[in-house]
Structures are given as C-alpha cells and as structure tokens.
Amino acid sequence: MIKGTFKRNTSGRIVSYEISGHANAGEYGNDIVCAAVSALAISAVNGIEALAGIQPILDVNHEEGGYLYVEVLADMTQEQMNIVQILLENLLLGLQAVQEENSEYIQINTQL
C-alpha cells in the first residue's frame, strides 16, 4: 500500500509531504495507481523548482523506489509561498482523488 502524509504548520500551510510504499495494483510497469502517484508527486517537485524558483529538501530512495520526502523551508517570498501552496494543495487533491477510486492501494492523510 502507498501511504502519504502531508504536514501542515499552525497557519495551515503544507510544509512537507512523505510518500512511501508500493500500490501493488498491477504488474510492475503496469501499475496505474503507482504511475498516477509518481506522476503527481514528481510533478509537484518539478513545479516548485521551475515555477517558484526554489529547491525543496528532498529525500528519495533511488535504488528501490517507493519513497519520497519533500520539505519546503519558510525562507521564501510571499509570491513563492503562494505558488508552492497552490502546487502542494493541488498535489493533495490529486492524491485524494486517486485514493477515492483506489482506497485498497493508497492512504493519504494530513497532520498538523
């Protein structure tokens, strides 16, 4: 099962997310749940870098896959923060939509 955790600060802003595990919803290379989660999660990182112009803290398991941790620091302009929050909220919405259709393979939650 894929597990995703989004952490919010006291202002309600998403400051990090962690995604781990494998969906096992299909054969390797044909797992659409895994593909959807991977595409959404990596797209958010790419958007943060390209559109907000900041480099988030990343921890990725390149050998086995199935693990991504992303954290954004508070040291950014208001415009950058707005862009980052839009991207992260969109990621959360996308993952929740995947979960609605595939709850046996993915679990997403948020924490303060």
Side-chain angles (χ1 to χ4, degrees):
M1 174 175 277
I2 294 174
K3 294 188 178 186
T5 302
F6 286 74
K7 292 190 180 173
R8 294 182 184 274
N9 64 15
T10 56
S11 300
R13 292 187 180 103
I14 297 172
V15 294
S16 69
Y17 66 92
E18 180 177 45
I19 300 172
S20 63
H22 293 281
N24 297 317
E27 293 181 31
Y28 181 80
N30 293 308
D31 188 333
I32 60 169
V33 175
C34 182
V37 170
S38 296
L40 288 166
I42 297 303
S43 179
V45 171
N46 291 342
I48 290 168
E49 292 174 351
L51 301 174
I54 64 167
Q55 179 66 47
I57 296 169
L58 297 174
D59 186 10
V60 181
N61 182 331
H62 290 289
E63 289 78 43
E64 297 176 25
Y67 182 80
L68 173 65
Y69 173 80
V70 178
E71 182 178 345
V72 292
L73 300 175
D75 186 24
M76 63 182 102
T77 68
Q78 186 63 47
E79 181 180 5
Q80 288 172 317
M81 186 175 299
N82 292 343
I83 292 167
V84 167
Q85 286 308 298
I86 289 168
L87 292 168
L88 293 178
E89 292 291 349
N90 189 61
L91 168 62
L92 178 57
L93 288 171
L95 292 174
Q96 288 171 334
V98 173
Q99 177 181 266
E100 283 180 27
E101 298 295 323
N102 303 279
S103 61
E104 65 273 24
Y105 303 114
I106 179 172
Q107 180 181 41
I108 304 297
N109 65 67
T110 59
Q111 300 175 347
L112 283 178

